[in-house]
Amino acid sequence: MKHIFKILYNCHKWFGIPLALMFIMWYCSGIVMMYHGFPRLSGQDRPVERVDRTELDSLWRMAPDSVGMSRLAFSGKRLQLMTGGETFGGYRPDCHALEEIAASFNTVIQRVDTLDDIDKWTPFNHLVKHLPFYRIVGDDDSYIYVSSVTGEIVQHATLSARRWAWVGALPHYFYVTPIRRDSALWRKVVIWMSGLSTLSVLFGMVIAVRFLLRRRKLRLFIKRSWQWHYSWGLFFGIFMFAFIFSGMMSLADIPDWIMKSRRLEGRGATAVAKEDVDLTSLPERFGQATLNVEPQLLWTVDTGGEKIVTGAECGRAPDFTPSFMTGIIERQTGEKVTDVSRTDGDIYYNVDDVPGYKARTEHFTVYWNDRGYYRVLDAKGKARNICYRFLHTMRIPGLVRVKWLHELYMWVILLGGIVIVATGTVLSVRSFKR
């Protein structure tokens, strides 16, 4: 047993030097990530424009007879429809079109760069089909990325968002462009990094517990640096382990030999007849409108800081009552609904301040509300949810409702982790010098 602990101690000590940089990177960037995420062009960030009904009807006629999840958005003053992997209303933007797009974001073009490859602000391989990009650099130092193929606006990153991303999202998510463009490679790299880090934390916790059992007191060492590292590790090491492990599990799949996924009898509606979709329910002005076909036909409309959910089926208003939703759930799961109750938030229902419903079947739990939220979870889905939402972002029911308390809690455990890493790095470097 003594030899085993010696191996664990040496692994923990020598792993600590190369892994310390990753720990510091994750913890410091995690603090920034509490307030600033990676720049993304969301529906709420899109400029709001007035809808030309004639143009809308013309676009809709171009669409195939059956449509699935679809999106209406503007590129400058031009309305576009994205559905089934195609863009209707696409065009090759010229100088006038780029000026119009820049004006919609309240900026003036300083220069336009032509990018033949993705960069750090567009590091996703699904955007490769839009290359080359036209990157509009505005007079406010904002970046607007426009597809040269379809004219779609694919990204918008302000100067402030980019600055925060340098110390937040980029290091935290390990968004190294050559790696991130290959999703499979990026997942493997991050899983291996966080997996080795998880082992190092686990070894450290085992060592600290062993010292505690042998000394039978919290004063484990005479030297202050050793005492800080291992005594803090006894408490904050638990949160450190949860943080790193859950980050890994947000990308890794739980093996079937541990927990199998339950197959749904029906996947729900994936496409509907085009003529069943009601376009008249859309408002006169919006930035983006998304058509959802599951569990019911709904428009989710972003109108500049406000999100509206409205019915999208001709001749029928949406119905989210338990009696109606029970039929949809039973068809999809192939199981009888045994219980339906109201919920205003738990570990799995993550919609702040919007009450909803929870239905149970033998192997599934289904959550929904009257704003279009719909989620079906089996045991494996719940485990993945706990790994990330509960252990990584600490969205603990009750705590997350009090914003300042949740932020204080996150600050304490993240700073506690930084203390462990900093003192551990000092110890490892000293050992290396000796």
Side-chain angles (χ1 to χ4, degrees):
M1 186 64 70
K2 183 178 179 180
H3 295 294
I4 294 176
F5 279 112
K6 185 176 181 180
I7 293 172
L8 292 181
Y9 176 75
N10 285 326
C11 288
H12 179 69
K13 179 173 64 176
W14 298 117
F15 277 0
I17 295 177
L19 294 178
L21 292 176
M22 286 191 294
F23 280 114
I24 292 291
M25 174 185 73
W26 280 326
Y27 272 85
C28 292
S29 61
I31 293 174
V32 177
M33 288 287 291
M34 290 167 55
Y35 307 98
H36 304 278
F38 185 77
R40 292 184 184 273
L41 179 61
S42 66
Q44 293 179 329
D45 297 329
R46 287 183 175 271
V48 175
E49 302 288 348
R50 181 172 294 278
V51 180
D52 185 331
R53 294 291 172 175
T54 303
E55 183 183 9
L56 174 60
D57 292 338
S58 177
L59 279 178
W60 200 246
R61 285 195 295 270
M62 298 179 190
D65 292 336
S66 60
V67 294
M69 184 175 179
S70 307
R71 180 165 55 91
L72 288 163
F74 286 92
S75 174
K77 298 292 184 180
R78 306 187 189 205
L79 185 62
Q80 297 181 320
L81 168 65
M82 283 67 74
T83 185
E86 295 186 63
T87 300
F88 298 94
Y91 65 101
R92 293 187 178 275
D94 55 17
C95 293
H96 176 71
L98 295 177
E99 289 175 354
E100 197 173 58
I101 291 171
S104 69
F105 284 92
N106 296 317
T107 189
V108 177
I109 296 178
Q110 293 299 299
R111 72 174 190 272
V112 177
D113 302 325
T114 301
L115 305 182
D116 294 321
D117 199 2
I118 60 177
D119 66 2
K120 63 178 63 64
W121 309 117
T122 56
F124 311 110
N125 56 354
H126 72 270
L127 295 178
V128 171
K129 65 182 181 180
H130 292 289
L131 290 172
F133 295 138
Y134 294 131
R135 183 175 66 187
I136 301 172
V137 181
D139 61 352
D140 54 358
D141 286 321
S142 63
Y143 289 172
I144 305 170
Y145 291 79
V146 182
S147 168
S148 65
V149 181
T150 64
E152 292 179 53
I153 303 170
V154 298
Q155 176 63 303
H156 176 237
T158 63
L159 177 61
S160 174
R162 298 199 309 274
R163 284 174 173 171
W164 283 114
W166 275 109
V167 292
L170 288 178
H172 194 80
Y173 293 138
F174 201 67
Y175 276 178
V176 179
T177 307
I179 296 175
R180 183 59 185 90
R181 68 175 299 161
D182 186 336
S183 297
L185 174 62
W186 173 74
R187 286 168 63 93
K188 290 178 182 178
V189 169
V190 175
I191 288 172
W192 273 100
M193 288 170 55
S194 52
L196 290 174
S197 301
T198 300
L199 284 177
S200 180
V201 174
L202 184 60
F203 292 165
M205 292 172 62
V206 171
I207 293 166
V209 171
R210 179 173 181 263
F211 281 137
L212 179 64
L213 294 177
R214 290 181 63 186
R215 298 293 180 90
R216 298 181 183 276
K217 57 182 181 179
L218 288 176
R219 183 69 179 175
L220 304 179
F221 305 99
I222 297 175
K223 290 185 177 181
R224 184 175 297 178
S225 57
W226 287 69
Q227 176 66 23
W228 273 75
H229 183 66
Y230 283 103
S231 60
W232 278 59
L234 283 170
F235 178 72
F236 286 104
I238 299 173
F239 297 98
M240 198 171 188
F241 176 84
F243 183 75
I244 303 298
F245 176 76
S246 59
M248 177 183 68
M249 292 307 298
S250 67
L251 295 175
D253 192 21
I254 301 174
D256 285 341
W257 61 268
I258 295 178
M259 188 179 295
K260 286 188 175 181
S261 297
R262 287 282 174 179
R263 187 176 66 86
L264 293 172
E265 288 295 322
R267 294 298 301 175
T270 58
V272 296
K274 180 173 64 174
E275 59 267 20
D276 290 341
V277 178
D278 183 10
L279 298 177
T280 62
S281 59
L282 289 170
E284 292 293 327
R285 297 172 59 88
F286 62 77
Q288 177 175 287
T290 304
L291 176 68
N292 299 294
V293 298
E294 189 185 69
Q296 301 179 54
L297 269 176
L298 295 172
W299 285 113
T300 302
V301 185
D302 294 288
T303 59
E306 184 182 4
K307 183 171 287 189
I308 300 172
V309 178
T310 184
E313 185 173 354
C314 292
R316 195 181 71 82
D319 187 352
F320 296 102
T321 60
S323 57
F324 184 83
M325 290 296 297
T326 295
I328 294 175
I329 294 168
E330 290 181 345
R331 285 194 300 272
Q332 187 171 8
T333 62
E335 299 177 354
K336 200 76 175 172
V337 172
T338 57
D339 177 66
V340 178
S341 60
R342 295 279 292 181
T343 180
D344 59 357
D346 61 17
I347 297 175
Y348 310 110
Y349 181 76
N350 300 301
V351 184
D352 297 333
D353 302 323
V354 181
Y357 295 92
K358 175 172 65 176
R360 291 191 179 93
T361 69
E362 183 180 358
H363 297 108
F364 297 95
T365 304
V366 183
Y367 294 87
W368 79 92
N369 62 30
D370 59 4
R371 298 191 184 181
Y373 180 91
Y374 183 72
R375 197 172 191 193
V376 182
L377 294 173
D378 60 358
K380 195 170 186 176
K382 291 179 179 179
R384 288 181 61 84
N385 187 280
I386 289 176
C387 278
Y388 185 73
R389 303 287 295 190
F390 188 71
L391 296 179
H392 199 76
T393 60
M394 302 294 173
R395 293 184 65 85
I396 302 169
L399 177 65
V400 74
R401 291 180 177 274
V402 185
K403 185 178 179 180
W404 70 267
L405 186 60
H406 179 259
E407 289 184 2
L408 177 63
Y409 180 76
M410 292 294 292
W411 271 92
V412 169
I413 62 176
L414 289 173
L415 290 176
I418 290 174
V419 170
I420 296 174
V421 176
T423 54
T425 303
V426 171
L427 296 178
S428 295
V429 171
R430 286 177 181 174
S431 297
F432 181 75
K433 287 182 177 180
R434 288 196 299 267

